[in-house]
């Protein structure tokens, strides 16, 4: 049942006896006050311009994952508003990033999202070619150029690039702080999940009639579960959620799972939803003698007992990590749902020119399975199509959905989230709306906007 009283300064602790510096430790409360969040930031074009000049061009941004660049010559492209970036593993083994533009006439050099080249890149307009380290390889009919035009051997313009915990970040700011410092606790904790060893087994992208911050806000809180995700309440305690706020806008919420929501009437017996998910933890619902409230702890024990059989080393994970959803956010636009078996990455990107449009990316990272009875068992909750290629030999084709197209293939929970975003954005524009009135279950939203304000006020 729900707690009789709630002290917002204390919140909830998933692991009450966790040491102060431990992985599961609850962070101290940060008081961001009680005022509304100014809603004009979601729809004013001038605000979008300010974000570009003071935020997106200044910070580290997640471009992709390291496992997509395993071999020399592998590359992927990443778009952020009007800019396109080419990220590749060059011949010397280094991962480098460049503006995806030919220095000759400005053509977008590479049009593919993912691929591999044997000997660098060639512009399809006039066949200028470049080595994988960005240096100029050849100019077609170079003798017809006056030497003053090409004597500097124009190569690709490089962008700062760094890798942390299996993720590839880029920044347009030569003076940006080191990536590890920027990511802080998010980067430290994500190392636990060994994303550098995982591969992308599914990638979806939905264009949404909303602002990118509408999407971020929705994934920073679990308060909406009781309204739009009611189907998961039989196995998710959406109320007793631990909220942790870290420096640089990073945050975390720990959502207990395999435990019925206290919002539901229950006599302690196993509900059908719990029975369905117990098999992922090697629990047999038919022979289980405990109550619904015993499933979570029993699953933790069962997973540890079965670790060797699954080929997963659970020794570095807390009991809570084995069952609960650890939802991390890295400022400004990345959310991760982290589990020992799989990591879901959510990326919210602004539209090129429309403040009322955005792109919602989901990437599912999983350990590669290269045989029919692969070591790792694919959990049912991942929602991976049965015909998905789990080998990780190549980045899967991005499943793209434009506004107006049927995006139900992305999965029921995601559909419910995306359905809300345009409705929220439309309401933001109303003269009758005075700005978000946030409860303490939504404290991560205040944390996010406080960090955003620091950039827009030029404090960072």
């Amino acid at each position: 049942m729900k707690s009789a009283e709630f002290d917002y300064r204390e919140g909830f602790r998933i692991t009450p006896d966790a040491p102060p510096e431990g992985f599961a430790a609850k962070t101290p409360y940060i008081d961001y006050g009680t005022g509304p969040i100014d809603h004009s930031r979601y729809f004013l074009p001038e605000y979008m311009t300010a974000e570009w000049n003071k935020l997106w061009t200044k910070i580290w941004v997640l471009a992709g994952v390291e496992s997509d660049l395993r071999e020399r010559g592998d590359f992927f492209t990443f778009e952020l508003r009007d800019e396109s970036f080419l990220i590749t593993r060059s011949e010397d083994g280094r991962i480098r990033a460049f503006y995806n533009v030919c220095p000759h006439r400005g053509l977008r050099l590479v049009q593919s999202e993912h691929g591999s080249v044997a000997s660098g890149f060639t512009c399809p307009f006039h066949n200028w070619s470049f080595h994988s380290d960005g240096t100029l390889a050849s100019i077609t009919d170079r003798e017809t150029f006056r030497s003053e035009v090409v004597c500097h051997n124009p190569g690709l313009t490089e962008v700062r690039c760094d890798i942390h915990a299996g993720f590839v970040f880029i920044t347009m700011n030569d003076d940006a702080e080191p990536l590890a410092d920027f990511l802080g606790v998010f980067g430290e904790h994500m190392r636990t999940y060994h994303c550098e060893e995982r591969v992308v087994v599914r990638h979806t992208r939905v264009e949404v009639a909303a602002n990118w911050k509408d999407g971020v806000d929705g994934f920073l809180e679990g308060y909406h579960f009781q309204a739009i995700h009611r189907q998961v309440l039989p196995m998710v305690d959406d109320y007793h959620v631990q909220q942790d706020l870290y420096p640089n806008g990073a945050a975390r919420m720990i959502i207990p799972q395999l435990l019925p929501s206290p919002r539901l009437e229950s006599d302690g017996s196993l509900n059908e939803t719990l029975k369905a998910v117990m098999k992922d933890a090697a629990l047999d619902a038919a022979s289980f003698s405990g109550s619904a409230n015993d499933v979570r702890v029993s699953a933790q024990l069962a997973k540890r007992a079965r670790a060797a059989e699954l080929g997963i080393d659970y020794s570095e994970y807390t009991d809570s990590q084995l069952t609960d959803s650890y939802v991390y956010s890295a400022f400004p636009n990345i959310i991760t749902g982290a589990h020992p078996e799989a990591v879901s990455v959510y990326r919210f990107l602004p539209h090129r020119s429309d403040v009322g449009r955005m792109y919602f990316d989901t990437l599912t990272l999983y350990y590669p399975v290269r045989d029919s009875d692969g070591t790792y068992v694919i959990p049912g909750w991942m929602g991976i199509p049965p015909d998905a290629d789990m080998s990780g030999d190549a980045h899967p084709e991005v499943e793209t959905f434009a506004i107006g197209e049927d995006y139900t293939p992305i999965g029921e929970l995601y559909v419910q989230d995306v359905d809300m975003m345009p409705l929220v954005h439309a309401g933001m524009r109303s003269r009758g709306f005075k700005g978000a009135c946030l409860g303490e279950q939504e404290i991560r939203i205040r944390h996010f906007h406080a960090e955003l304000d620091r950039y827009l006020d030029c404090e960072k």
Side-chain angles (χ1 to χ4, degrees):
M1 59 185 297
K2 289 168 60 174
S3 302
E5 296 181 356
F6 176 74
D7 183 344
Y8 66 86
R9 297 176 186 83
E10 291 295 328
F12 298 114
R13 298 172 186 266
I14 301 303
T15 309
D17 58 351
E21 302 302 321
F23 186 89
K26 175 78 174 68
T27 61
Y29 180 74
I30 299 176
D31 194 342
Y32 286 113
T34 58
I37 301 294
D38 176 19
H39 61 126
S40 66
R41 65 184 56 202
Y42 295 87
F43 59 82
L44 288 182
E46 51 264 41
Y47 203 93
M48 185 181 191
T49 300
E51 287 179 344
W52 178 250
N53 293 329
K54 298 179 180 180
L55 177 71
W56 295 111
T57 57
K58 303 297 183 184
I59 62 170
W60 289 97
V61 182
L62 175 64
V65 295
E66 186 179 9
S67 60
D68 282 339
L69 303 172
R70 280 170 284 183
E71 305 295 334
R72 289 169 169 78
D74 288 353
F75 70 85
F76 62 80
T77 55
F78 166 65
E79 294 190 5
L80 181 62
R81 287 197 59 182
D82 289 328
E83 292 289 0
S84 178
F85 302 94
L86 170 62
I87 297 93
T88 184
R89 187 177 291 278
S90 57
E91 285 302 311
D92 62 5
R94 283 185 54 193
I95 292 178
R96 290 181 165 92
F98 308 94
Y99 286 98
N100 184 20
V101 57
C102 178
H104 173 216
R105 294 273 292 276
L107 189 80
R108 190 63 59 83
L109 182 63
V110 175
Q111 286 78 43
S112 302
E113 288 187 308
H114 295 85
S116 187
V117 293
S119 55
F121 302 94
T122 299
C123 178
F125 199 3
H126 299 92
N127 283 335
W128 282 35
S129 62
F130 306 88
H131 298 295
S132 60
D133 65 359
T135 56
L136 177 69
S138 67
I139 295 176
T140 305
D141 301 336
R142 181 166 185 150
E143 70 277 5
T144 66
F145 287 80
R146 292 177 59 173
S147 62
E148 295 87 348
V149 176
V150 295
C151 63
H152 61 294
N153 291 324
L156 305 182
T157 302
E158 194 159 2
V159 181
R160 282 184 66 188
C161 175
D162 202 353
I163 298 92
H164 192 89
F167 296 107
V168 181
F169 286 80
I170 61 99
T171 179
M172 293 174 269
N173 181 7
D174 290 337
D175 297 322
E177 64 185 313
L179 176 61
D181 294 344
F182 174 77
L183 294 178
V185 175
F186 172 87
E188 294 171 13
H189 283 202
M190 289 310 298
R191 285 190 183 279
T192 306
Y193 294 93
H194 302 288
C195 292
E196 70 280 359
E197 300 175 10
R198 302 176 190 263
V199 295
V200 178
V201 294
R202 193 179 192 200
H203 185 172
T204 68
R205 176 176 300 141
V206 183
E207 183 182 11
V208 187
N211 184 266
W212 68 277
K213 297 183 292 297
D214 293 314
V216 171
D217 287 355
F219 276 68
L220 285 176
E221 47 88 1
Y223 183 39
H224 65 276
F225 275 46
Q226 45 82 28
I228 69 172
H229 299 322
R230 291 196 63 83
Q231 73 272 29
V232 304
L233 297 189
M235 58 153 287
V236 173
D237 181 349
D238 63 315
Y239 184 74
H240 299 104
V241 174
Q242 178 172 320
Q243 309 275 0
D244 296 307
L245 308 180
Y246 303 114
N248 293 339
R252 176 180 73 177
M253 61 180 172
I254 306 176
I255 308 174
Q257 300 200 72
L258 298 185
L259 191 67
S261 170
R263 304 178 192 277
L264 302 179
E265 295 279 343
S266 175
D267 60 2
S269 60
L270 299 182
N271 58 65
E272 294 305 313
T273 303
L274 268 179
K275 291 179 181 178
V277 299
M278 287 170 68
K279 61 183 179 181
D280 281 339
L283 291 178
D284 178 26
S287 60
F288 189 75
S289 59
S291 71
N293 289 331
D294 297 323
V295 172
R296 178 170 172 267
V297 172
S298 297
Q300 294 166 357
L301 295 172
K303 279 192 169 186
R304 292 202 186 280
R306 196 187 177 199
E309 176 188 343
L310 295 178
I312 300 179
D313 181 6
Y314 286 130
S315 62
E316 60 187 311
Y317 297 106
T318 67
D319 288 342
S320 171
Q321 284 177 277
L322 300 190
T323 52
D324 304 335
S325 184
Y326 278 62
V327 182
Y328 288 89
S329 56
F331 185 82
N333 66 326
I334 301 301
I335 312 286
T336 62
H339 304 263
E341 297 81 15
V343 174
S344 299
V345 179
Y346 313 121
R347 181 171 59 184
F348 304 86
L349 294 168
H351 187 265
R352 177 175 293 107
S353 58
D354 190 340
V355 69
R357 297 169 80 178
M358 58 157 283
Y359 301 99
F360 169 47
D361 277 12
T362 70
L363 295 88
T364 305
L365 302 180
Y366 192 68
Y367 291 109
V369 176
R370 293 189 171 86
D371 52 68
S372 58
D373 58 349
T375 304
Y376 295 97
V377 176
I378 304 170
W381 55 262
M382 284 176 56
I384 297 297
D387 59 346
D389 178 9
M390 305 298 288
S391 69
D393 291 336
H395 190 102
E397 182 177 351
V398 182
E399 302 169 54
T400 303
F401 305 89
I403 291 177
E405 292 185 339
D406 176 19
Y407 52 84
T408 54
I410 67 175
E412 183 180 21
L413 289 178
Y414 297 149
V415 167
Q416 291 168 338
D417 288 319
V418 173
D419 282 349
M420 290 295 108
M421 295 176 193
L423 302 178
V424 169
H425 186 71
M428 288 285 183
R429 295 174 176 269
S430 172
R431 294 183 179 182
F433 183 63
K434 307 303 181 184
C437 303
L438 301 174
E440 295 305 315
Q441 294 182 75
E442 302 159 298
I443 188 63
R444 298 203 315 159
I445 297 178
R446 288 194 186 277
H447 186 59
F448 162 76
H449 285 278
E451 185 71 3
L452 178 59
D453 286 341
R454 293 185 189 102
Y455 279 89
L456 297 183
D457 293 339
C458 297
E459 297 176 16
K460 286 198 167 186

